[in-house]
C-alpha cells in the first residue's frame, strides 16, 4: 500500500476504529488518534507518496496491537528534532503523548524494515467488593491465621508475639496519639461555630441538647439490646453505692492539671477542658477573633494527619483480626452475629420511634416522606459518602421538604459533625464486646462512662469505612478492656456499615423536619 493521501486516510481510520472497538480508556483512544495521524504524515513526507507500507492489526494476549512496517532506510517518526519541519507536534508534546495512561508507541529497525508498534492494555474493570480493602484485609487475616496455626509452635509464637503484636501495638499507639488532640480541637471548633453568646445560648445549645437527647436514646436502646445478648451488666451494691460511683464519675471529669488529660489520654477530662475553652472563646469573641480561624486550621491539620494514618487501617485491621483469630476463643469470634443483631435492633427501634413521632405529631404521610428523601437515602445506603450525601441533602431539605434554607445551611453541616447515631451504637456494642473478651463485668457507673465516651468519640470519628478503629482503641483503653475486641468489631462493621449510614441519615432528616417546625429561624411549610 502506497503513502497516497487516500491510503493514509484509510489506514488512519482503520487503526482508529480498531482501537475504538476495544475496552481501552477514552484517554488512550484520544492519544492513539493523535499519534497515528502524526506518524503517517511524517512517514509520508520522509519516504514520499510512492513508497509502500503495511499495517497489521491483532490482539496479543488481550492487548490490542498495531504494527506498521515500512521497508527502506532508517527513520524513527517517534523522535522529533526541535527544528524538524516535518513535525506537526512538537518534541515536548510527542514525548508527553508517549507517556500517557496505558497506551504505548515504540519503534525498532528489523531486517531492513522500520517497524512502529502501537498498543494499549485494556482497562481492567474493578470488581466491587462490599467493604473494599477492609473486607480483603479481613479475609486475608483469616487465611493467614489458618496457615500460621499449622506451623510449629515456636514459629507460630515468633510470628504472633515477635512480629504481629508489636507492629499492631505501634499502629494503635499512633492512632491514639493523633486522636486525643483531635477530640479536643473538634469539640472546640464545633462550639465555636456559634458567632456569639446569644447564638450559642438561643440556638446552639438547643440544637446540641437535641442531638444529645437523640443519641442518648440510641445509647439506651443499644445498651438494652447488648445486655440481652451479653448479660454482663452488674447491678450489685446498694443504691447509695451506685450514687457515689456516679458522683465520683462526674467529679473525675474535672482535671487537676490542664496538660495531664492529654498525657494520660483521659477523654472525659479532655472533653471537659474543650467545653470550658470553647465557651470562653465564644464569650471573648472579637477580642480574640483570629483564634477561631487558628483552631479550625489546627483541626484541619489534625484531620489531614488522621487521613494519612487511616491509610494504614487495612494493615491494622489485618493484624488485629489475625491476632484475634489466633488468641480469642471461637465462641467470642462467632458472637459477631450478636453484634450485628444488636445493631439492627437498635436501628429499627430508634428509626421506627422517630418516624412514628413525626406521624403522630405532624400527621405526615410516611410513604411520601420517604419518596421525598429517597435521593439522599439511596446515596447514604450505597455510596457511604458523608460529603456526597450532605450535598444532596441540602437540595432535598430545601426543595422537597420545604425547610427554611437558613436553617438547612446552619444545621446540616453541624449535624454531620456532631450527630452520628450509627457510630454511637458501634461504640456501645464495642464496649460490651471488650468486656466479654476481657472476662469482665460492666458496672452501672461504667455504663455512664460508655455513654459519655461514645458520644464524644463519635464527633471525631472520620466518616470513612474503618475510621472507627481509632475510637475503638481510645474507648477500650479508657475502660481498661482488651483491644482484641477491635478485630471482632471490624468484622461486624462489614455487615452493618450500609445500614448504619442509612440509619444516621434517616434520623438526621427526621430531626431536622421536627426542628424546622419550631420557632428558631422562621416558620416553615409542612411536607
Amino acid at each position: 500500500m502506497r503513502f497516497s493521501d487516500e491510503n493514509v486516510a484509510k489506514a488512519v481510520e482503520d487503526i482508529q476504529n480498531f482501537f475504538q472497538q476495544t475496552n481501552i480508556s477514552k484517554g488512550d483512544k484520544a492519544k492513539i488518534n493523535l499519534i497515528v495521524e502524526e506518524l503517517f504524515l511524517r512517514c509520508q513526507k520522509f519516504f514520499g507518496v510512492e513508497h509502500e507500507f503495511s499495517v497489521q492489526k491483532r490482539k496479543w494476549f488481550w492487548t490490542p496491537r498495531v504494527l506498521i512496517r515500512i521497508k527502506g532506510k532508517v527513520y524513527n517518526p517517534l523522535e522529533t528534532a526541535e527544528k524538524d519541519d516535518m513535525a506537526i507536534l512538537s518534541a515536548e508534546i510527542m514525548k508527553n503523548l508517549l507517556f500517557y495512561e496505558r497506551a504505548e508507541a515504540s519503534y525498532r529497525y528489523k531486517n531492513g524494515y522500520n517497524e512502529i508498534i502501537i498498543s494499549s492494555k485494556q482497562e481492567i474493570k474493578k470488581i466491587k467488593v462490599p467493604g473494599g480493602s477492609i473486607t480483603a484485609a479481613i479475609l486475608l487475616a483469616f487465611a493467614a491465621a489458618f496457615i500460621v496455626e499449622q506451623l510449629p509452635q515456636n514459629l507460630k509464637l515468633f510470628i504472633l508475639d515477635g512480629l504481629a503484636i508489636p507492629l499492631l501495638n505501634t499502629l494503635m499507639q499512633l492512632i491514639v496519639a493523633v486522636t486525643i488532640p483531635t477530640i479536643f480541637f473538634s469539640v472546640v471548633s464545633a462550639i465555636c461555630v456559634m458567632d456569639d453568646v446569644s447564638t450559642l445560648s438561643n440556638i446552639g445549645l438547643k440544637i446540641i441538647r437535641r442531638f444529645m437527647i437523640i443519641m442518648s436514646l440510641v445509647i439506651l436502646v443499644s445498651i438494652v439490646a447488648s445486655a440481652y445478648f451479653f448479660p454482663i451488666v452488674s447491678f450489685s451494691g446498694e443504691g447509695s453505692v451506685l450514687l457515689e460511683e456516679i458522683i465520683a464519675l462526674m467529679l473525675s471529669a474535672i482535671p487537676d492539671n490542664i496538660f495531664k488529660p492529654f498525657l494520660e489520654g483521659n477523654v472525659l477530662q479532655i472533653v471537659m477542658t474543650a467545653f470550658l475553652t470553647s465557651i470562653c472563646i465564644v464569650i471573648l469573641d472579637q477580642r480574640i477573633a483570629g483564634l477561631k480561624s487558628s483552631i479550625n486550621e489546627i483541626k484541619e491539620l489534625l484531620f489531614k494527619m488522621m487521613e494519612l494514618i487511616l491509610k494504614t487501617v487495612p494493615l491494622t485491621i489485618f493484624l488485629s483480626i489475625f491476632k484475634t483469630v489466633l488468641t480469642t476463643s471461637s465462641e467470642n469470634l462467632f458472637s459477631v452475629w450478636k453484634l450485628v443483631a444488636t445493631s439492627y435492633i437498635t436501628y429499627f427501634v430508634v428509626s421506627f420511634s422517630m418516624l412514628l413521632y413525626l406521624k403522630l405529631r405532624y400527621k405526615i404521610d410516611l410513604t411520601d416522606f420517604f419518596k421525598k428523601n429517597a435521593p439522599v437515602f439511596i446515596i447514604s445506603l450505597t455510596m457511604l459518602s458523608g460529603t456526597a450525601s450532605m450535598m444532596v441533602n441540602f437540595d432535598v431539605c430545601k426543595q422537597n421538604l420545604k425547610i427554611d434554607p437558613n436553617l438547612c445551611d446552619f444545621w446540616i453541616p453541624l449535624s454531620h459533625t456532631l450527630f452520628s447515631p450509627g457510630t454511637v451504637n458501634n461504640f456501645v456494642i464495642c464496649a460490651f464486646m471488650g468486656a466479654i473478651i476481657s472476662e469482665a463485668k460492666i458496672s452501672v457507673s461504667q455504663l455512664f462512662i460508655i455513654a459519655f465516651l461514645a458520644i464524644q468519640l463519635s464527633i471525631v470519628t472520620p466518616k470513612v469505612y474503618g475510621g472507627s478503629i481509632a475510637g475503638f482503641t481510645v474507648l477500650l483503653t479508657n475502660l481498661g478492656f482488651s483491644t482484641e475486641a477491635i478485630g471482632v468489631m471490624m468484622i461486624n462493621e462489614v455487615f452493618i456499615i450500609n445500614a448504619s449510614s442509612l440509619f444516621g441519615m434517616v434520623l438526621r432528616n427526621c430531626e431536622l423536619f421536627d426542628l424546622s417546625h419550631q420557632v428558631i429561624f422562621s416558620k416553615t411549610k409542612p411536607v
Side-chain angles (χ1 to χ4, degrees):
M1 188 183 298
R2 291 189 175 91
F3 274 112
S4 64
D5 291 341
E6 184 181 349
N7 289 340
V8 166
K10 185 176 183 303
V12 169
E13 185 179 0
D14 287 345
I15 293 173
Q16 290 176 349
N17 289 337
F18 171 70
F19 281 104
Q20 284 292 337
Q21 295 170 5
T22 61
N23 190 33
I24 64 175
S25 69
K26 291 181 179 178
D28 279 341
K29 289 175 182 177
K31 167 195 170 175
I32 289 170
N33 290 347
L34 288 172
I35 286 181
V36 168
E37 290 183 21
E38 178 72 3
L39 290 179
F40 275 103
L41 289 174
R42 291 185 183 186
C43 291
Q44 185 188 52
K45 288 182 179 181
F46 183 84
F47 291 104
V49 294
E50 296 298 321
H51 205 86
E52 293 189 348
F53 69 95
S54 64
V55 177
Q56 298 176 6
K57 305 184 295 288
R58 64 175 175 173
K59 289 186 179 180
W60 184 263
F61 292 106
W62 300 282
T63 298
R65 184 174 181 269
V66 169
L67 172 63
I68 303 171
R69 302 181 80 229
I70 309 165
K71 189 175 182 179
K73 55 185 178 180
V74 178
Y75 173 64
N76 183 0
L78 299 179
E79 292 181 352
T80 307
E82 292 296 333
K83 296 182 179 180
D84 190 346
D85 59 358
M86 290 188 295
I88 297 175
L89 300 178
S90 68
E92 183 178 354
I93 294 176
M94 199 68 178
K95 181 180 178 182
N96 290 335
L97 283 175
L98 294 174
F99 294 95
Y100 179 75
E101 295 197 16
R102 301 168 67 89
E104 297 177 356
S106 59
Y107 168 85
R108 68 186 180 189
Y109 189 76
K110 184 178 180 182
N111 299 329
Y113 283 88
N114 296 279
E115 295 184 345
I116 301 105
I117 302 167
I118 303 171
S119 63
S120 180
K121 296 178 181 178
Q122 299 211 45
E123 204 169 28
I124 301 173
K125 291 184 178 180
K126 295 181 179 179
I127 301 174
K128 293 186 178 180
V129 179
S133 59
I134 307 299
T135 303
I138 293 172
L139 296 176
L140 287 173
F142 273 101
F146 175 78
I147 293 172
V148 170
E149 192 69 49
Q150 314 307 315
L151 299 176
Q153 186 66 17
N154 58 343
L155 182 56
K156 173 185 172 182
L157 291 176
F158 170 75
I159 293 174
L160 182 62
D161 298 332
L163 296 176
I165 292 179
L167 180 56
L168 176 62
N169 291 340
T170 301
L171 292 173
M172 292 292 193
Q173 290 168 2
L174 181 63
I175 290 172
V176 172
V178 178
T179 302
I180 293 301
T182 304
I183 293 173
F184 175 83
F185 283 100
S186 294
V187 174
V188 174
S189 176
I191 295 178
C192 285
V193 168
M194 316 303 166
D195 293 329
D196 49 41
V197 178
S198 177
T199 304
L200 175 63
S201 58
N202 295 335
I203 301 174
L205 291 181
K206 183 172 184 177
I207 290 177
I208 293 173
R209 184 170 65 249
R210 290 173 66 101
F211 285 162
M212 297 305 109
I213 290 173
I214 296 175
M215 287 201 286
S216 296
L217 172 64
V218 175
I219 290 171
L220 179 61
V221 175
S222 184
I223 287 175
V224 172
S226 298
Y228 174 79
F229 289 107
F230 305 104
I232 55 173
V233 178
S234 174
F235 295 96
S236 60
E238 299 179 359
S240 60
V241 175
L242 294 178
L243 182 60
E244 288 177 8
E245 289 182 353
I246 294 171
I247 293 174
L249 170 64
M250 295 172 63
L251 294 176
S252 68
I254 302 175
D256 54 7
N257 184 311
I258 195 170
F259 300 107
K260 190 175 178 181
F262 296 93
L263 297 175
E264 295 180 349
N266 190 318
V267 178
L268 287 171
Q269 296 181 355
I270 288 171
V271 172
M272 179 61 69
T273 304
F275 273 118
L276 292 173
T277 303
S278 55
I279 290 172
C280 290
I281 292 173
V282 172
I283 292 173
L284 292 173
D285 196 22
Q286 296 301 321
R287 281 173 283 178
I288 51 173
L291 186 57
K292 286 185 179 181
S293 60
S294 298
I295 287 172
N296 285 327
E297 289 170 1
I298 294 173
K299 187 192 78 170
E300 291 300 320
L301 173 63
L302 290 169
F303 269 75
K304 178 56 67 174
M305 292 174 64
M306 181 68 75
E307 182 183 323
L308 293 175
I309 291 173
L310 286 178
K311 293 185 182 298
T312 66
V313 162
L315 176 59
T316 306
I317 292 173
F318 170 84
L319 292 170
S320 181
I321 294 177
F322 177 75
K323 174 189 173 185
T324 300
V325 173
L326 291 176
T327 59
T328 306
S329 66
S330 58
E331 182 182 354
N332 288 335
L333 198 59
F334 287 112
S335 63
V336 171
W337 74 268
K338 296 181 181 180
L339 302 178
V340 176
T342 299
S343 295
Y344 277 95
I345 289 172
T346 304
Y347 299 160
F348 175 78
V349 170
V350 178
S351 299
F352 180 79
S353 300
M354 290 288 290
L355 291 167
L356 182 62
Y357 165 76
L358 293 184
K359 182 173 180 61
L360 294 176
R361 181 166 183 176
Y362 301 109
K363 310 300 181 184
I364 66 170
D365 182 347
L366 292 182
T367 303
D368 186 53
F369 182 78
F370 271 96
K371 284 181 180 179
K372 291 180 177 181
N373 284 281
V376 71
F377 286 171
I378 291 172
I379 289 176
S380 298
L381 181 65
T382 57
M383 292 181 62
L384 310 178
S385 171
T387 302
S389 60
M390 182 173 70
M391 299 313 295
V392 173
N393 204 27
F394 278 111
D395 294 331
V396 168
C397 293
K398 292 176 183 179
Q399 298 174 15
N400 296 1
L401 301 183
K402 308 300 181 186
I403 295 175
D404 190 304
N406 292 324
L407 178 58
C408 293
D409 292 340
F410 174 81
W411 189 93
I412 291 176
L414 190 64
S415 71
H416 277 263
T417 302
L418 298 179
F419 188 60
S420 302
T423 306
V424 164
N425 169 75
N426 286 353
F427 285 130
V428 172
I429 62 177
C430 176
F432 274 79
M433 193 69 236
I436 288 290
I437 292 179
S438 302
E439 298 181 351
K441 293 285 186 178
I442 295 180
S443 66
V444 174
S445 61
Q446 281 181 312
L447 289 178
F448 281 92
I449 295 176
I450 291 169
F452 183 84
L453 292 180
I455 291 175
Q456 304 309 321
L457 291 172
S458 69
I459 295 173
V460 298
T461 297
K463 305 302 187 286
V464 295
Y465 192 23
S468 54
I469 193 169
F472 291 153
T473 307
V474 173
L475 175 68
L476 295 175
T477 302
N478 275 262
L479 292 171
F481 294 156
S482 171
T483 55
E484 290 180 16
I486 294 175
V488 181
M489 285 304 302
M490 297 318 299
I491 299 173
N492 167 69
E493 195 163 336
V494 172
F495 297 99
I496 69 168
I497 185 66
N498 294 76
S500 176
S501 179
L502 175 61
F503 169 64
M505 190 54 69
V506 170
L507 259 60
R508 282 191 184 96
N509 282 16
C510 286
E511 167 63 5
L512 179 58
F513 181 83
D514 183 34
L515 188 66
S516 70
H517 285 70
Q518 303 191 26
V519 182
I520 291 184
F521 283 90
S522 63
K523 202 76 175 178
T524 57
K525 299 177 182 179
V527 172

